Amino acid sequence: GENVEQHPSTLSVQEGDSAVIKCTYSDSASNYFPWYKQELGKGPQLIIDIRSNVGEKKDQRIAVTLNKTAKHFSLHITETQPEDSAVYFCAASIKGYGGSQGNLIFGKGTKLSVKP
Amino acid sequence: NAGVTQTPKFQVLKTGQSMTLQCAQDMNHEYMSWYRQDPGMGLRLIHYSVGAGITDQGEVPNGYNVSRSTTEDFPLRLLSAAPSQTSVYFCASRRSDGLGAQPQHFGDGTRLSIL
């Protein structure tokens, strides 16, 4: 079945450094790749997403890159701040049929810690 | 807008008890879904619905029932709770307009413990 692998599972960086989280997906028909941030006790919150017709997207300190040939995509956070500390999840859409089109498969998450 | 609202936030059950987790959204989204989140497992899809009266199974549907009588509400029922169902449950919604996958909006979860 479809699968999304996410690495690393934990990441610790110094404030001001960059952080990179990588995901690979198995379904070549996947065309939508969101990233979610989950703070303690809260639900996942969408921070950025990218579609398969775009190779890179940036929003202030956050960027996502997509390599369709290699079937991997990455989240880049620059100038990290303590408030960036959270668990980050990547996801990929599955092709599916009918109502299952657009269902998401999630990676297992990366716990990012930003040290002041 | 409240977005996606889940109740209760916390619940403790005994094995064999039944209960319903409530989910409501005020964004007029056609698509709603339930996930469970377990340590080291990410989010796994339980059931989903593309509109009132239409539901389907996700990756881990066993032991759970759903129904969708209105656009706004999508309750998740545990018929006979088991310790393996101890988890954090998230409800999510998104548009479903035939233009491809759309961003999902999540509630803040229900933390369920089954003794």
PDB file of all heavy atoms in Angstrom, chain B residues 73-93:
ATOM      1  N   ASP B  73     -21.880  17.757  11.154  1.00  0.00           N
ATOM      2  CA  ASP B  73     -21.523  16.828  12.223  1.00  0.00           C
ATOM      3  C   ASP B  73     -21.069  15.473  11.701  1.00  0.00           C
ATOM      4  O   ASP B  73     -21.646  14.935  10.746  1.00  0.00           O
ATOM      5  CB  ASP B  73     -22.731  16.632  13.156  1.00  0.00           C
ATOM      6  CG  ASP B  73     -23.192  17.921  13.782  1.00  0.00           C
ATOM      7  OD1 ASP B  73     -22.382  18.507  14.528  1.00  0.00           O
ATOM      8  OD2 ASP B  73     -24.324  18.351  13.503  1.00  0.00           O
ATOM      9  N   PHE B  74     -20.077  14.907  12.385  1.00  0.00           N
ATOM     10  CA  PHE B  74     -19.545  13.603  11.973  1.00  0.00           C
ATOM     11  C   PHE B  74     -19.100  12.853  13.232  1.00  0.00           C
ATOM     12  O   PHE B  74     -17.918  12.831  13.579  1.00  0.00           O
ATOM     13  CB  PHE B  74     -18.380  13.798  11.004  1.00  0.00           C
ATOM     14  CG  PHE B  74     -17.895  12.536  10.342  1.00  0.00           C
ATOM     15  CD1 PHE B  74     -18.789  11.591   9.851  1.00  0.00           C
ATOM     16  CD2 PHE B  74     -16.542  12.307  10.172  1.00  0.00           C
ATOM     17  CE1 PHE B  74     -18.346  10.441   9.209  1.00  0.00           C
ATOM     18  CE2 PHE B  74     -16.077  11.158   9.526  1.00  0.00           C
ATOM     19  CZ  PHE B  74     -16.984  10.230   9.055  1.00  0.00           C
ATOM     20  N   PRO B  75     -20.025  12.224  13.954  1.00  0.00           N
ATOM     21  CA  PRO B  75     -19.662  11.527  15.193  1.00  0.00           C
ATOM     22  C   PRO B  75     -18.988  10.184  14.939  1.00  0.00           C
ATOM     23  O   PRO B  75     -19.273   9.500  13.954  1.00  0.00           O
ATOM     24  CB  PRO B  75     -21.016  11.341  15.885  1.00  0.00           C
ATOM     25  CG  PRO B  75     -22.012  11.328  14.768  1.00  0.00           C
ATOM     26  CD  PRO B  75     -21.471  12.235  13.708  1.00  0.00           C
ATOM     27  N   LEU B  76     -18.112   9.824  15.874  1.00  0.00           N
ATOM     28  CA  LEU B  76     -17.398   8.543  15.830  1.00  0.00           C
ATOM     29  C   LEU B  76     -17.840   7.719  17.030  1.00  0.00           C
ATOM     30  O   LEU B  76     -17.743   8.179  18.165  1.00  0.00           O
ATOM     31  CB  LEU B  76     -15.885   8.763  15.888  1.00  0.00           C
ATOM     32  CG  LEU B  76     -15.012   7.502  15.892  1.00  0.00           C
ATOM     33  CD1 LEU B  76     -15.012   6.837  14.524  1.00  0.00           C
ATOM     34  CD2 LEU B  76     -13.577   7.848  16.310  1.00  0.00           C
ATOM     35  N   ARG B  77     -18.310   6.515  16.783  1.00  0.00           N
ATOM     36  CA  ARG B  77     -18.815   5.661  17.860  1.00  0.00           C
ATOM     37  C   ARG B  77     -17.906   4.461  18.101  1.00  0.00           C
ATOM     38  O   ARG B  77     -17.500   3.779  17.150  1.00  0.00           O
ATOM     39  CB  ARG B  77     -20.226   5.173  17.529  1.00  0.00           C
ATOM     40  CG  ARG B  77     -21.301   6.207  17.780  1.00  0.00           C
ATOM     41  CD  ARG B  77     -22.687   5.647  17.487  1.00  0.00           C
ATOM     42  NE  ARG B  77     -22.893   5.516  16.050  1.00  0.00           N
ATOM     43  CZ  ARG B  77     -23.312   6.498  15.269  1.00  0.00           C
ATOM     44  NH1 ARG B  77     -23.567   7.692  15.769  1.00  0.00           N
ATOM     45  NH2 ARG B  77     -23.482   6.296  13.980  1.00  0.00           N
ATOM     46  N   LEU B  78     -17.604   4.258  19.380  1.00  0.00           N
ATOM     47  CA  LEU B  78     -16.933   3.032  19.805  1.00  0.00           C
ATOM     48  C   LEU B  78     -18.010   2.132  20.392  1.00  0.00           C
ATOM     49  O   LEU B  78     -18.654   2.493  21.379  1.00  0.00           O
ATOM     50  CB  LEU B  78     -15.862   3.316  20.859  1.00  0.00           C
ATOM     51  CG  LEU B  78     -14.528   3.872  20.384  1.00  0.00           C
ATOM     52  CD1 LEU B  78     -14.671   5.293  19.877  1.00  0.00           C
ATOM     53  CD2 LEU B  78     -13.498   3.796  21.498  1.00  0.00           C
ATOM     54  N   LEU B  79     -18.215   0.976  19.799  1.00  0.00           N
ATOM     55  CA  LEU B  79     -19.330   0.130  20.209  1.00  0.00           C
ATOM     56  C   LEU B  79     -19.030  -0.642  21.487  1.00  0.00           C
ATOM     57  O   LEU B  79     -19.874  -0.779  22.361  1.00  0.00           O
ATOM     58  CB  LEU B  79     -19.656  -0.852  19.079  1.00  0.00           C
ATOM     59  CG  LEU B  79     -19.997  -0.191  17.739  1.00  0.00           C
ATOM     60  CD1 LEU B  79     -20.255  -1.247  16.680  1.00  0.00           C
ATOM     61  CD2 LEU B  79     -21.203   0.723  17.890  1.00  0.00           C
ATOM     62  N   SER B  80     -17.803  -1.146  21.619  1.00  0.00           N
ATOM     63  CA  SER B  80     -17.377  -1.902  22.794  1.00  0.00           C
ATOM     64  C   SER B  80     -15.885  -1.635  22.971  1.00  0.00           C
ATOM     65  O   SER B  80     -15.050  -2.271  22.336  1.00  0.00           O
ATOM     66  CB  SER B  80     -17.635  -3.394  22.600  1.00  0.00           C
ATOM     67  OG  SER B  80     -17.183  -4.141  23.712  1.00  0.00           O
ATOM     68  N   ALA B  81     -15.584  -0.640  23.814  1.00  0.00           N
ATOM     69  CA  ALA B  81     -14.213  -0.150  23.917  1.00  0.00           C
ATOM     70  C   ALA B  81     -13.238  -1.240  24.356  1.00  0.00           C
ATOM     71  O   ALA B  81     -13.546  -2.066  25.226  1.00  0.00           O
ATOM     72  CB  ALA B  81     -14.152   1.018  24.888  1.00  0.00           C
ATOM     73  N   ALA B  82     -12.038  -1.193  23.744  1.00  0.00           N
ATOM     74  CA  ALA B  82     -10.958  -2.116  24.075  1.00  0.00           C
ATOM     75  C   ALA B  82      -9.707  -1.311  24.411  1.00  0.00           C
ATOM     76  O   ALA B  82      -9.528  -0.199  23.882  1.00  0.00           O
ATOM     77  CB  ALA B  82     -10.673  -3.040  22.899  1.00  0.00           C
ATOM     78  N   PRO B  83      -8.817  -1.831  25.263  1.00  0.00           N
ATOM     79  CA  PRO B  83      -7.597  -1.088  25.613  1.00  0.00           C
ATOM     80  C   PRO B  83      -6.783  -0.649  24.387  1.00  0.00           C
ATOM     81  O   PRO B  83      -6.129   0.392  24.424  1.00  0.00           O
ATOM     82  CB  PRO B  83      -6.834  -2.087  26.478  1.00  0.00           C
ATOM     83  CG  PRO B  83      -7.905  -2.905  27.133  1.00  0.00           C
ATOM     84  CD  PRO B  83      -8.958  -3.057  26.068  1.00  0.00           C
ATOM     85  N   SER B  84      -6.843  -1.418  23.293  1.00  0.00           N
ATOM     86  CA  SER B  84      -6.108  -1.067  22.074  1.00  0.00           C
ATOM     87  C   SER B  84      -6.630   0.209  21.422  1.00  0.00           C
ATOM     88  O   SER B  84      -5.981   0.769  20.522  1.00  0.00           O
ATOM     89  CB  SER B  84      -6.175  -2.211  21.065  1.00  0.00           C
ATOM     90  OG  SER B  84      -7.525  -2.462  20.706  1.00  0.00           O
ATOM     91  N   GLN B  85      -7.791   0.670  21.844  1.00  0.00           N
ATOM     92  CA  GLN B  85      -8.354   1.903  21.308  1.00  0.00           C
ATOM     93  C   GLN B  85      -7.965   3.130  22.124  1.00  0.00           C
ATOM     94  O   GLN B  85      -8.409   4.244  21.813  1.00  0.00           O
ATOM     95  CB  GLN B  85      -9.875   1.787  21.201  1.00  0.00           C
ATOM     96  CG  GLN B  85     -10.317   0.743  20.175  1.00  0.00           C
ATOM     97  CD  GLN B  85     -11.817   0.584  20.127  1.00  0.00           C
ATOM     98  OE1 GLN B  85     -12.481   0.319  21.144  1.00  0.00           O
ATOM     99  NE2 GLN B  85     -12.380   0.740  18.935  1.00  0.00           N
ATOM    100  N   THR B  86      -7.137   2.926  23.143  1.00  0.00           N
ATOM    101  CA  THR B  86      -6.570   4.074  23.850  1.00  0.00           C
ATOM    102  C   THR B  86      -5.711   4.866  22.872  1.00  0.00           C
ATOM    103  O   THR B  86      -4.775   4.323  22.276  1.00  0.00           O
ATOM    104  CB  THR B  86      -5.711   3.597  25.042  1.00  0.00           C
ATOM    105  OG1 THR B  86      -6.563   3.003  26.016  1.00  0.00           O
ATOM    106  CG2 THR B  86      -4.960   4.766  25.660  1.00  0.00           C
ATOM    107  N   SER B  87      -6.031   6.137  22.701  1.00  0.00           N
ATOM    108  CA  SER B  87      -5.366   6.925  21.667  1.00  0.00           C
ATOM    109  C   SER B  87      -5.837   8.373  21.768  1.00  0.00           C
ATOM    110  O   SER B  87      -6.684   8.716  22.596  1.00  0.00           O
ATOM    111  CB  SER B  87      -5.702   6.360  20.279  1.00  0.00           C
ATOM    112  OG  SER B  87      -4.945   6.984  19.264  1.00  0.00           O
ATOM    113  N   VAL B  88      -5.281   9.203  20.920  1.00  0.00           N
ATOM    114  CA  VAL B  88      -5.790  10.552  20.725  1.00  0.00           C
ATOM    115  C   VAL B  88      -6.494  10.574  19.369  1.00  0.00           C
ATOM    116  O   VAL B  88      -5.912  10.165  18.358  1.00  0.00           O
ATOM    117  CB  VAL B  88      -4.676  11.612  20.765  1.00  0.00           C
ATOM    118  CG1 VAL B  88      -5.285  13.007  20.619  1.00  0.00           C
ATOM    119  CG2 VAL B  88      -3.877  11.510  22.059  1.00  0.00           C
ATOM    120  N   TYR B  89      -7.736  11.042  19.369  1.00  0.00           N
ATOM    121  CA  TYR B  89      -8.551  11.024  18.161  1.00  0.00           C
ATOM    122  C   TYR B  89      -8.724  12.439  17.621  1.00  0.00           C
ATOM    123  O   TYR B  89      -9.079  13.361  18.360  1.00  0.00           O
ATOM    124  CB  TYR B  89      -9.919  10.407  18.465  1.00  0.00           C
ATOM    125  CG  TYR B  89      -9.826   8.931  18.769  1.00  0.00           C
ATOM    126  CD1 TYR B  89      -9.526   8.479  20.054  1.00  0.00           C
ATOM    127  CD2 TYR B  89      -9.998   7.986  17.758  1.00  0.00           C
ATOM    128  CE1 TYR B  89      -9.413   7.127  20.325  1.00  0.00           C
ATOM    129  CE2 TYR B  89      -9.886   6.624  18.023  1.00  0.00           C
ATOM    130  CZ  TYR B  89      -9.587   6.213  19.309  1.00  0.00           C
ATOM    131  OH  TYR B  89      -9.471   4.861  19.568  1.00  0.00           O
ATOM    132  N   PHE B  90      -8.467  12.582  16.332  1.00  0.00           N
ATOM    133  CA  PHE B  90      -8.609  13.883  15.678  1.00  0.00           C
ATOM    134  C   PHE B  90      -9.644  13.810  14.572  1.00  0.00           C
ATOM    135  O   PHE B  90      -9.661  12.866  13.778  1.00  0.00           O
ATOM    136  CB  PHE B  90      -7.278  14.346  15.084  1.00  0.00           C
ATOM    137  CG  PHE B  90      -6.280  14.754  16.114  1.00  0.00           C
ATOM    138  CD1 PHE B  90      -5.270  13.889  16.506  1.00  0.00           C
ATOM    139  CD2 PHE B  90      -6.349  16.005  16.710  1.00  0.00           C
ATOM    140  CE1 PHE B  90      -4.340  14.256  17.467  1.00  0.00           C
ATOM    141  CE2 PHE B  90      -5.425  16.384  17.675  1.00  0.00           C
ATOM    142  CZ  PHE B  90      -4.422  15.507  18.049  1.00  0.00           C
ATOM    143  N   CYS B  91     -10.460  14.826  14.527  1.00  0.00           N
ATOM    144  CA  CYS B  91     -11.410  15.013  13.445  1.00  0.00           C
ATOM    145  C   CYS B  91     -10.879  16.109  12.533  1.00  0.00           C
ATOM    146  O   CYS B  91     -10.226  17.058  12.997  1.00  0.00           O
ATOM    147  CB  CYS B  91     -12.771  15.417  14.015  1.00  0.00           C
ATOM    148  SG  CYS B  91     -14.055  15.707  12.796  1.00  0.00           S
ATOM    149  N   ALA B  92     -11.115  15.978  11.238  1.00  0.00           N
ATOM    150  CA  ALA B  92     -10.640  16.973  10.278  1.00  0.00           C
ATOM    151  C   ALA B  92     -11.696  17.198   9.205  1.00  0.00           C
ATOM    152  O   ALA B  92     -12.534  16.319   8.951  1.00  0.00           O
ATOM    153  CB  ALA B  92      -9.325  16.536   9.646  1.00  0.00           C
ATOM    154  N   SER B  93     -11.643  18.354   8.566  1.00  0.00           N
ATOM    155  CA  SER B  93     -12.561  18.633   7.470  1.00  0.00           C
ATOM    156  C   SER B  93     -11.834  19.400   6.379  1.00  0.00           C
ATOM    157  O   SER B  93     -10.810  20.041   6.615  1.00  0.00           O
ATOM    158  CB  SER B  93     -13.777  19.423   7.965  1.00  0.00           C
ATOM    159  OG  SER B  93     -13.425  20.778   8.237  1.00  0.00           O
TER     160      SER B  93
END
